[in-house]
Amino acid sequence: MSTIRMKRTTLGVIGLTAAAALSLTGCKNGNEEAGPAQSGSPAAQPSQSSDQPGTPAAPSAGASGGADGAAPGGAPAGAAKPGQTFKIGEAATVPFTYGSDTKGTIALTVTAVEQGQAADLDALKLGDKVKGMVPYYIRYTVKNAGTTNLEYASVGHIKGLLPDGSEAQGVSVIGKFEKCKDDSLPSGFTGGKTQTNCAIALAPSAQTKVVGAEYWGDPYNNLNDSKSLYWK
């Protein structure tokens, strides 16, 4: 386990009728996550983050001059720079790694930040732990901008941003939550194909809005002494 301080803590439940329990996330590097979510009752995991230390570093995914139009130094040509801010609806070219051997390039676009209703969270059975909070749904598209088949990969690491620039608490759902679907990429997700996903961000109260989004997947994370990408 890395000695670098962890970025996220999670609060999880197992199934709709289980009690919530506070836990620290395991060590993760970049986009390594669990496999495709199974259908059925969702399990929700609100997560809270700390700040991101370090100085921006250039992306380093892939080999120099490799596949997906990589430029010298490993990053795909035109890759977003650590700490770069985009307008909502604007695409960022991102070097993408999933697991130990899937590497490619995606165009990631946050298309909308939609306010939900507090009652939406009832289905996740998180009880008083989300009392007074309001869910926002961050809609984003993932386009395969390279040549690698990215089937069954998961593109997560999306957080909401509050007006003061801090991160909103997030909720990870295992299973299906109809108001905010976050699916693994389908079979045959080859160059040019696009999928729309969703992430949940929690505003601490009705008086505070979620106004933007952040992507902190590898190489845009503090594990690499780097900075996230932002949409506002």
Side-chain angles (χ1 to χ4, degrees):
M1 186 166 195
S2 171
T3 57
I4 300 174
R5 67 176 177 177
M6 298 307 299
K7 181 182 176 69
R8 300 292 186 274
T9 57
T10 61
L11 180 67
V13 299
I14 303 174
L16 287 177
T17 60
L22 184 65
S23 63
L24 183 68
T25 53
C27 288
K28 292 183 180 180
N29 184 8
N31 288 293
E32 294 182 9
E33 293 185 340
Q38 301 298 316
S39 60
S41 298
Q45 301 178 356
S47 60
Q48 182 115 26
S49 70
S50 61
D51 58 340
Q52 299 173 322
T55 302
S60 57
S64 177
D68 289 348
K81 298 178 181 179
Q84 189 169 351
T85 299
F86 299 87
K87 294 180 180 179
I88 291 177
E90 186 177 1
T93 299
V94 173
F96 179 73
T97 302
Y98 184 78
S100 59
D101 56 3
T102 300
K103 297 180 184 296
T105 304
I106 60 174
L108 184 64
T109 308
V110 174
T111 58
V113 179
E114 300 175 358
Q115 183 176 344
Q117 302 295 322
D120 296 349
L121 298 172
D122 292 348
L124 301 178
K125 301 296 182 182
L126 292 169
D128 288 344
K129 293 177 175 59
V130 293
K131 185 176 181 180
M133 295 183 176
V134 177
Y136 282 73
Y137 304 122
I138 302 172
R139 314 286 180 184
Y140 63 99
T141 61
V142 179
K143 179 180 179 180
N144 189 337
T147 58
T148 303
N149 186 353
L150 299 178
E151 61 186 3
Y152 309 130
S154 293
V155 183
H157 298 84
I158 298 288
K159 297 285 290 182
L161 293 175
L162 300 177
D164 64 359
S166 63
E167 294 178 353
Q169 189 172 11
V171 180
S172 296
V173 177
I174 300 173
K176 298 294 184 183
F177 181 52
E178 292 300 320
K179 290 186 177 293
C180 191
K181 295 182 179 180
D182 182 21
D183 298 320
S184 298
L185 301 179
S187 175
F189 197 78
T190 52
K193 293 194 174 181
T194 301
Q195 175 167 293
T196 299
N197 277 9
C198 179
I200 305 171
L202 300 179
S205 69
Q207 289 72 43
T208 303
K209 297 182 180 296
V210 175
V211 297
E214 168 191 2
Y215 174 72
W216 58 280
D218 185 42
Y220 305 99
N221 57 44
N222 64 349
L223 295 178
N224 288 318
D225 202 27
S226 187
K227 287 188 176 181
S228 302
L229 303 179
Y230 304 96
W231 281 262
K232 298 179 180 179

